[in-house]
Structures are given as C-alpha cells and as structure tokens.
Amino acid sequence: MVKGNQMSFSASDHHGLEGARVRDARSQLLEMLTFARPAYSNAEAAFIKRYILPTGASSDAAGNWCLEIGNAPILWSSHTDTVHGASGRQDVTVTGDVAALAHGSKSNCLGADCTTGVWLMLNMIEAGVPGFYVFHAAEERGGKGSIHIATKTPWILDGIKAAIALDRAGTDEVITHQGGTRMASDAFALSLARQLPGSYAPSPSGIFTDTANYPDLVGECVNIGVGYSRQHSSLEVQCLAHAERLRAALVEFDWTKLEFERQPGEEEPWHDAARDEQWAWFDEFAERAAANDRRRSAPVTARFVRDNADLVTDYLEQLGVTVSDITGDESF
C-alpha cells in the first residue's frame, strides 16, 4: 500500500506471493523483513522453510544450513535468527529508499540484521555465484551455529581461504578485526572492496559475527556493511538503495580477483596491551551476553510470572495470546 511517498508492507501481503516468484528483489527483501525470528523460534523455522529450503541447502546438528556452488574457496556467511523479543510477523514501511518498522509496531527491531545478509546470499545463489554458503544458526545467541562448525565439524572448512560475512551495519566497511583481534589482511580487504559499490575500505572496528569463530581455520575472515543502521533497536532502518547496489555487485562477484595473504591461525607479531584496555568493555559485554543466554534457557516459574507480571503481559500481548487461549473458556 502506498500513501504519499510512503509504502507499507504488511505481514499479510505475502499470501499473494505464495508459490510464485516475488515481483522483484526489493519486494522479496521487504517480505523477508516481516518475519520476527528469535533463534529456534517458529517464525525462524517458517522463514527457513520459505526461503532457504528451496535452494537445496542441507542442515547440520546445530541448525546451520549449508550449500556449495562450484568450487570456490570462499565461505559466504549470514544468520537466520534476529534479536526480536517475540516470534511472529510484523509490518514494515518504506519511505523513499528506507525500510523501517511500521508506525506503532510493538517489535523491538526491524531485523535487517541479518535479514539483508540472508537476502543477498539467496540472490547470489540464484545467480550461481560460486562459494560455500552458510546460513548460520543462533548468531545472536553468541554464535552457537558457527561455534558448532568450528569445534565439531571443522573439516567442512577444508580448502576455504576466506569467510565473508554479510552482517555489518553501514555502507563502507570491510571489517578486518573483530573484538580487537586481526582476522584478515588489509590486502584481502582492499581486493574485496574493489568489487563492492561506493567507498568500501578496510576497518578494524568490528565486534562480532560468525566469521570471528573461524580465524584459526580460515585465513581471511571479514564482515562487510550491508546498509542497515541502529540495529538491535526499534529504530533500526535499512537503506534499500544500498542493498540493491550491493546485490548487483555480488551477483557478479569474481573470487579470482581476491588477494589472500593471512594464514589460518596467524597472529599479528605483537601483543598490544592497549587492546586489553580498549576492548575491556567488549569482554564484559560478552560475559553479560553469556549470562543472559543462560537466563533465557531458564524455565518460567510461577514466581517469575508473579514478580514480572507487566513483562509477561506485554510478551503475551505481542504473541496475540488471549485469556481464552490460556483458559480454554470461550466466554472470556
């Protein structure tokens, strides 16, 4: 629906697209953004069934979905979960070239992190771009899917020279460092940037994505900006024009133009004591995230419901649960 220069994309609009190719790539991305997908949720499962299963990808024990095209030594990385607080569908609006949550939405984020990365990989697969494609599970839960690969099935990365994640905010960074640690050479980042639109350049400012779990197994591990901003918040937006420019570049990507310099497990020949101070906040954040993850897995008790009545009520409301659903009494 279009009103003035604003278009809304409702979660219900997808019904007209069932069983048929979406009208264009932008429509596909907007449709994908209507899925609110906490890790291991029903909405994530529905998202995977609708978009990833048709590619022919196969899953592993951790819920990662993998597909190999050709024989290129490149791993392309995204993740299927988002940081949404509740599983379900949400409405999205577009103003100009910017996608955002619809006005009044109760969702806590848009989820362009990492919906846009998944969308880009789907378009690359459709175009037949060679590579080993991994749609990771539970990146937002500490990278559980990539940890599984790195520790339980590392042999699937044999022969991979570079792992390229499509999971970064912004429009101009090729991330070479994550958590203060170098994981890719500048030479590789520059050779990658030359195939991307705009003014991409190497950046040491990365925090974490799945490729951070592979530097001991893969020489060049990077993350590139895909055009979203204000991620992990209800103010998150996606620049659709940039996503489309990046898509156009990636469906023509030529891995033979890349320069590989860093070796697996290679560390910089110095230990920067200042790094420990500069990134102490990140180490503290990682510890808190792990603690939060343990709390997420704790069972809901009567005491928790009593002590957090407002929180539980809001959560059930987001899910659309009614008193009749809980009691089974239709009179409510």
Side-chain angles (χ1 to χ4, degrees):
M1 177 174 64
V2 179
K3 184 176 182 180
N5 68 337
Q6 186 176 76
M7 178 181 71
S8 64
F9 196 92
S10 171
S12 62
D13 289 345
H14 78 287
H15 292 298
L17 301 174
E18 291 291 342
R21 184 185 300 273
V22 293
R23 290 184 299 275
D24 54 45
R26 178 177 287 204
S27 294
Q28 183 187 45
L29 176 55
L30 292 172
E31 181 191 59
M32 292 169 69
L33 286 168
T34 67
F35 287 78
R37 315 184 306 275
Y40 311 121
S41 65
N42 289 336
E44 184 187 29
F47 179 88
I48 290 169
K49 181 178 180 181
R50 177 164 177 78
Y51 299 108
I52 296 175
L53 270 177
T55 68
S58 58
S59 63
D60 64 14
N64 300 302
W65 289 83
C66 307
L67 176 69
E68 187 165 20
I69 296 179
N71 195 33
I74 309 297
L75 182 153
W76 296 99
S77 169
S78 62
H79 59 89
T80 56
D81 64 321
T82 59
V83 296
H84 282 95
S87 171
R89 303 295 295 274
Q90 62 187 16
D91 293 343
V92 176
T93 61
V94 179
T95 304
D97 281 319
V98 177
L101 286 173
H103 179 71
S105 174
K106 294 183 179 180
S107 287
N108 61 304
C109 69
L110 175 63
D113 172 9
C114 183
T115 303
T116 303
V118 173
W119 172 77
L120 287 166
M121 284 172 49
L122 291 175
N123 280 268
M124 294 169 70
I125 290 170
E126 183 177 9
V129 178
F132 182 50
Y133 293 84
V134 182
F135 300 90
H136 288 97
E139 189 270 354
E140 301 291 4
R141 297 283 187 92
K144 289 184 176 181
S146 51
I147 288 173
H148 173 85
I149 290 175
T151 60
K152 302 299 184 182
T153 61
W155 57 84
I156 72 172
L157 301 181
D158 289 351
I160 298 295
K161 293 184 177 181
I164 304 173
L166 305 173
D167 188 28
R168 175 71 176 176
T171 61
D172 59 4
E173 288 181 300
V174 178
I175 294 298
T176 55
H177 296 59
Q178 297 187 53
T181 299
R182 177 178 285 279
M183 299 185 179
S185 65
D186 287 344
F188 176 82
L190 286 167
S191 69
L192 173 58
R194 284 192 286 270
Q195 294 198 57
L196 303 179
S199 55
Y200 279 88
S203 169
S205 302
I207 299 176
F208 174 82
T209 190
D210 287 299
T211 54
N213 286 324
Y214 298 144
D216 290 337
L217 301 168
V218 177
E220 306 283 4
C221 298
V222 299
N223 191 11
I224 65 176
V226 300
Y228 60 73
S229 60
R230 302 174 187 170
Q231 66 276 17
H232 294 195
S233 80
S234 60
L235 299 178
E236 182 181 8
V237 295
Q238 171 67 50
C239 176
L240 298 172
H242 182 80
E244 290 169 336
R245 288 191 293 269
L246 185 56
R247 171 189 174 276
L250 291 176
V251 297
E252 299 291 337
F253 194 82
D254 183 355
W255 74 266
T256 65
K257 295 180 179 180
L258 297 172
E259 298 178 18
F260 304 98
E261 187 174 281
R262 181 183 179 275
Q263 299 300 311
E266 184 176 293
E267 297 182 0
E268 290 188 308
W270 47 265
H271 176 71
D272 186 359
R275 179 269 172 206
D276 296 333
E277 179 178 354
Q278 178 185 0
W279 287 90
W281 67 270
F282 176 77
D283 296 333
E284 181 182 349
F285 167 80
E287 291 176 6
R288 289 201 309 271
N292 287 337
D293 193 47
R294 289 192 293 271
R295 284 195 292 272
R296 285 192 190 101
S297 62
V300 175
T301 63
R303 179 177 179 180
F304 176 86
V305 173
R306 183 178 65 249
D307 294 345
N308 299 272
D310 291 342
L311 177 65
V312 173
T313 300
D314 289 344
Y315 179 72
L316 292 174
E317 184 178 347
Q318 288 186 50
L319 292 177
V321 177
T322 66
V323 174
S324 297
D325 293 330
I326 297 173
T327 64
D329 187 345
E330 298 296 334
S331 65
F332 283 97

